[in-house]
mmCIF file with all atom_site columns, all heavy atoms in Angstrom:
data_model
loop_
_atom_site.group_PDB
_atom_site.id
_atom_site.type_symbol
_atom_site.label_atom_id
_atom_site.label_alt_id
_atom_site.label_comp_id
_atom_site.label_asym_id
_atom_site.label_entity_id
_atom_site.label_seq_id
_atom_site.pdbx_PDB_ins_code
_atom_site.Cartn_x
_atom_site.Cartn_y
_atom_site.Cartn_z
_atom_site.occupancy
_atom_site.B_iso_or_equiv
_atom_site.pdbx_formal_charge
_atom_site.auth_seq_id
_atom_site.auth_comp_id
_atom_site.auth_asym_id
_atom_site.auth_atom_id
_atom_site.pdbx_PDB_model_num
ATOM 1  N N   . GLY A 1 183 ? -22.718 154.227 -92.044  1.00 98.00 ? 183 GLY A N   1
ATOM 2  C CA  . GLY A 1 183 ? -23.598 153.088 -91.799  1.00 98.00 ? 183 GLY A CA  1
ATOM 3  C C   . GLY A 1 183 ? -25.015 153.353 -92.397  1.00 98.00 ? 183 GLY A C   1
ATOM 4  O O   . GLY A 1 183 ? -25.504 154.507 -92.446  1.00 98.00 ? 183 GLY A O   1
ATOM 5  N N   . MET A 1 184 ? -25.535 152.336 -92.996  1.00 98.00 ? 184 MET A N   1
ATOM 6  C CA  . MET A 1 184 ? -26.866 152.368 -93.624  1.00 98.00 ? 184 MET A CA  1
ATOM 7  C C   . MET A 1 184 ? -27.645 151.258 -93.035  1.00 98.00 ? 184 MET A C   1
ATOM 8  O O   . MET A 1 184 ? -27.251 150.052 -93.151  1.00 98.00 ? 184 MET A O   1
ATOM 9  C CB  . MET A 1 184 ? -26.796 152.272 -95.098  1.00 98.00 ? 184 MET A CB  1
ATOM 10 C CG  . MET A 1 184 ? -26.097 153.399 -95.806  1.00 98.00 ? 184 MET A CG  1
ATOM 11 S SD  . MET A 1 184 ? -26.038 153.197 -97.648  1.00 98.00 ? 184 MET A SD  1
ATOM 12 C CE  . MET A 1 184 ? -24.979 154.574 -98.080  1.00 98.00 ? 184 MET A CE  1
ATOM 13 N N   . GLN A 1 185 ? -28.824 151.535 -92.331  1.00 98.00 ? 185 GLN A N   1
ATOM 14 C CA  . GLN A 1 185 ? -29.484 150.500 -91.657  1.00 98.00 ? 185 GLN A CA  1
ATOM 15 C C   . GLN A 1 185 ? -30.365 149.633 -92.718  1.00 98.00 ? 185 GLN A C   1
ATOM 16 O O   . GLN A 1 185 ? -30.590 148.451 -92.423  1.00 98.00 ? 185 GLN A O   1
ATOM 17 C CB  . GLN A 1 185 ? -30.502 151.077 -90.638  1.00 98.00 ? 185 GLN A CB  1
ATOM 18 C CG  . GLN A 1 185 ? -31.388 150.085 -89.923  1.00 98.00 ? 185 GLN A CG  1
ATOM 19 C CD  . GLN A 1 185 ? -30.559 149.129 -89.138  1.00 98.00 ? 185 GLN A CD  1
ATOM 20 O OE1 . GLN A 1 185 ? -30.081 149.412 -88.087  1.00 98.00 ? 185 GLN A OE1 1
ATOM 21 N NE2 . GLN A 1 185 ? -30.414 147.929 -89.641  1.00 98.00 ? 185 GLN A NE2 1
ATOM 22 N N   . PHE A 1 186 ? -30.609 150.146 -93.813  1.00 98.00 ? 186 PHE A N   1
ATOM 23 C CA  . PHE A 1 186 ? -31.311 149.430 -94.864  1.00 98.00 ? 186 PHE A CA  1
ATOM 24 C C   . PHE A 1 186 ? -30.327 148.748 -95.800  1.00 98.00 ? 186 PHE A C   1
ATOM 25 O O   . PHE A 1 186 ? -29.179 148.744 -95.593  1.00 98.00 ? 186 PHE A O   1
ATOM 26 C CB  . PHE A 1 186 ? -32.083 150.475 -95.686  1.00 98.00 ? 186 PHE A CB  1
ATOM 27 C CG  . PHE A 1 186 ? -31.365 151.659 -96.160  1.00 98.00 ? 186 PHE A CG  1
ATOM 28 C CD1 . PHE A 1 186 ? -30.699 151.664 -97.374  1.00 98.00 ? 186 PHE A CD1 1
ATOM 29 C CD2 . PHE A 1 186 ? -31.202 152.725 -95.322  1.00 98.00 ? 186 PHE A CD2 1
ATOM 30 C CE1 . PHE A 1 186 ? -29.998 152.668 -97.781  1.00 98.00 ? 186 PHE A CE1 1
ATOM 31 C CE2 . PHE A 1 186 ? -30.417 153.885 -95.745  1.00 98.00 ? 186 PHE A CE2 1
ATOM 32 C CZ  . PHE A 1 186 ? -29.832 153.838 -96.966  1.00 98.00 ? 186 PHE A CZ  1
ATOM 33 N N   . HIS A 1 187 ? -30.906 148.133 -96.835  1.00 97.00 ? 187 HIS A N   1
ATOM 34 C CA  . HIS A 1 187 ? -30.085 147.377 -97.806  1.00 97.00 ? 187 HIS A CA  1
ATOM 35 C C   . HIS A 1 187 ? -30.018 148.245 -99.200  1.00 97.00 ? 187 HIS A C   1
ATOM 36 O O   . HIS A 1 187 ? -30.890 148.161 -99.955  1.00 97.00 ? 187 HIS A O   1
ATOM 37 C CB  . HIS A 1 187 ? -30.683 146.036 -98.111  1.00 97.00 ? 187 HIS A CB  1
ATOM 38 C CG  . HIS A 1 187 ? -30.600 145.051 -97.032  1.00 97.00 ? 187 HIS A CG  1
ATOM 39 N ND1 . HIS A 1 187 ? -29.496 144.274 -96.828  1.00 97.00 ? 187 HIS A ND1 1
ATOM 40 C CD2 . HIS A 1 187 ? -31.493 144.714 -96.025  1.00 97.00 ? 187 HIS A CD2 1
ATOM 41 C CE1 . HIS A 1 187 ? -29.664 143.537 -95.720  1.00 97.00 ? 187 HIS A CE1 1
ATOM 42 N NE2 . HIS A 1 187 ? -30.798 143.815 -95.228  1.00 97.00 ? 187 HIS A NE2 1
ATOM 43 N N   . PRO A 1 188 ? -28.920 148.996 -99.363  1.00 98.00 ? 188 PRO A N   1
ATOM 44 C CA  . PRO A 1 188 ? -28.795 149.710 -100.625 1.00 98.00 ? 188 PRO A CA  1
ATOM 45 C C   . PRO A 1 188 ? -28.786 148.727 -101.822 1.00 98.00 ? 188 PRO A C   1
ATOM 46 O O   . PRO A 1 188 ? -29.344 149.119 -102.879 1.00 98.00 ? 188 PRO A O   1
ATOM 47 C CB  . PRO A 1 188 ? -27.477 150.449 -100.449 1.00 98.00 ? 188 PRO A CB  1
ATOM 48 C CG  . PRO A 1 188 ? -26.730 149.730 -99.375  1.00 98.00 ? 188 PRO A CG  1
ATOM 49 C CD  . PRO A 1 188 ? -27.748 149.246 -98.479  1.00 98.00 ? 188 PRO A CD  1
ATOM 50 N N   . GLU A 1 189 ? -28.262 147.578 -101.619 1.00 97.00 ? 189 GLU A N   1
ATOM 51 C CA  . GLU A 1 189 ? -28.164 146.651 -102.749 1.00 97.00 ? 189 GLU A CA  1
ATOM 52 C C   . GLU A 1 189 ? -29.517 146.108 -103.152 1.00 97.00 ? 189 GLU A C   1
ATOM 53 O O   . GLU A 1 189 ? -29.661 145.533 -104.231 1.00 97.00 ? 189 GLU A O   1
ATOM 54 C CB  . GLU A 1 189 ? -27.158 145.496 -102.348 1.00 97.00 ? 189 GLU A CB  1
ATOM 55 C CG  . GLU A 1 189 ? -27.735 144.376 -101.413 1.00 97.00 ? 189 GLU A CG  1
ATOM 56 C CD  . GLU A 1 189 ? -27.740 144.841 -99.996  1.00 97.00 ? 189 GLU A CD  1
ATOM 57 O OE1 . GLU A 1 189 ? -27.379 145.986 -99.615  1.00 97.00 ? 189 GLU A OE1 1
ATOM 58 O OE2 . GLU A 1 189 ? -28.019 143.922 -99.126  1.00 97.00 ? 189 GLU A OE2 1
ATOM 59 N N   . LYS A 1 190 ? -30.578 146.335 -102.294 1.00 96.00 ? 190 LYS A N   1
ATOM 60 C CA  . LYS A 1 190 ? -31.910 145.884 -102.618 1.00 96.00 ? 190 LYS A CA  1
ATOM 61 C C   . LYS A 1 190 ? -32.886 147.071 -102.841 1.00 96.00 ? 190 LYS A C   1
ATOM 62 O O   . LYS A 1 190 ? -34.079 146.811 -102.876 1.00 96.00 ? 190 LYS A O   1
ATOM 63 C CB  . LYS A 1 190 ? -32.452 144.965 -101.555 1.00 96.00 ? 190 LYS A CB  1
ATOM 64 C CG  . LYS A 1 190 ? -31.599 143.702 -101.349 1.00 96.00 ? 190 LYS A CG  1
ATOM 65 C CD  . LYS A 1 190 ? -32.169 142.800 -100.301 1.00 96.00 ? 190 LYS A CD  1
ATOM 66 C CE  . LYS A 1 190 ? -31.352 141.516 -100.140 1.00 96.00 ? 190 LYS A CE  1
ATOM 67 N NZ  . LYS A 1 190 ? -31.901 140.659 -99.021  1.00 96.00 ? 190 LYS A NZ  1
ATOM 68 N N   . SER A 1 191 ? -32.334 148.248 -102.870 1.00 98.00 ? 191 SER A N   1
ATOM 69 C CA  . SER A 1 191 ? -33.135 149.442 -102.951 1.00 98.00 ? 191 SER A CA  1
ATOM 70 C C   . SER A 1 191 ? -33.180 150.139 -104.233 1.00 98.00 ? 191 SER A C   1
ATOM 71 O O   . SER A 1 191 ? -33.391 151.361 -104.386 1.00 98.00 ? 191 SER A O   1
ATOM 72 C CB  . SER A 1 191 ? -32.616 150.460 -101.862 1.00 98.00 ? 191 SER A CB  1
ATOM 73 O OG  . SER A 1 191 ? -32.805 149.933 -100.547 1.00 98.00 ? 191 SER A OG  1
ATOM 74 N N   . GLN A 1 192 ? -33.053 149.355 -105.328 1.00 98.00 ? 192 GLN A N   1
ATOM 75 C CA  . GLN A 1 192 ? -33.191 149.787 -106.681 1.00 98.00 ? 192 GLN A CA  1
ATOM 76 C C   . GLN A 1 192 ? -32.364 151.013 -106.931 1.00 98.00 ? 192 GLN A C   1
ATOM 77 O O   . GLN A 1 192 ? -31.183 151.096 -106.533 1.00 98.00 ? 192 GLN A O   1
ATOM 78 C CB  . GLN A 1 192 ? -34.669 150.013 -107.005 1.00 98.00 ? 192 GLN A CB  1
ATOM 79 C CG  . GLN A 1 192 ? -35.462 148.669 -106.805 1.00 98.00 ? 192 GLN A CG  1
ATOM 80 C CD  . GLN A 1 192 ? -36.956 148.825 -107.093 1.00 98.00 ? 192 GLN A CD  1
ATOM 81 O OE1 . GLN A 1 192 ? -37.431 149.899 -107.517 1.00 98.00 ? 192 GLN A OE1 1
ATOM 82 N NE2 . GLN A 1 192 ? -37.683 147.726 -106.936 1.00 98.00 ? 192 GLN A NE2 1
ATOM 83 N N   . GLY A 1 193 ? -32.808 151.960 -107.742 1.00 98.00 ? 193 GLY A N   1
ATOM 84 C CA  . GLY A 1 193 ? -32.035 153.071 -108.217 1.00 98.00 ? 193 GLY A CA  1
ATOM 85 C C   . GLY A 1 193 ? -31.459 153.925 -107.132 1.00 98.00 ? 193 GLY A C   1
ATOM 86 O O   . GLY A 1 193 ? -30.290 154.354 -107.210 1.00 98.00 ? 193 GLY A O   1
ATOM 87 N N   . VAL A 1 194 ? -32.251 154.217 -106.047 1.00 98.00 ? 194 VAL A N   1
ATOM 88 C CA  . VAL A 1 194 ? -31.685 155.014 -104.941 1.00 98.00 ? 194 VAL A CA  1
ATOM 89 C C   . VAL A 1 194 ? -30.513 154.349 -104.307 1.00 98.00 ? 194 VAL A C   1
ATOM 90 O O   . VAL A 1 194 ? -29.494 154.887 -103.965 1.00 98.00 ? 194 VAL A O   1
ATOM 91 C CB  . VAL A 1 194 ? -32.857 155.326 -103.883 1.00 98.00 ? 194 VAL A CB  1
ATOM 92 C CG1 . VAL A 1 194 ? -32.249 155.930 -102.704 1.00 98.00 ? 194 VAL A CG1 1
ATOM 93 C CG2 . VAL A 1 194 ? -33.900 156.213 -104.571 1.00 98.00 ? 194 VAL A CG2 1
ATOM 94 N N   . GLY A 1 195 ? -30.671 153.006 -103.974 1.00 98.00 ? 195 GLY A N   1
ATOM 95 C CA  . GLY A 1 195 ? -29.612 152.289 -103.341 1.00 98.00 ? 195 GLY A CA  1
ATOM 96 C C   . GLY A 1 195 ? -28.417 152.196 -104.169 1.00 98.00 ? 195 GLY A C   1
ATOM 97 O O   . GLY A 1 195 ? -27.265 152.282 -103.655 1.00 98.00 ? 195 GLY A O   1
#
Side-chain angles (χ1 to χ4, degrees):
M184 299 180 186
Q185 180 59 77
F186 51 90
H187 290 276
E189 76 280 7
K190 297 181 180 179
S191 297
Q192 299 181 1
V194 172

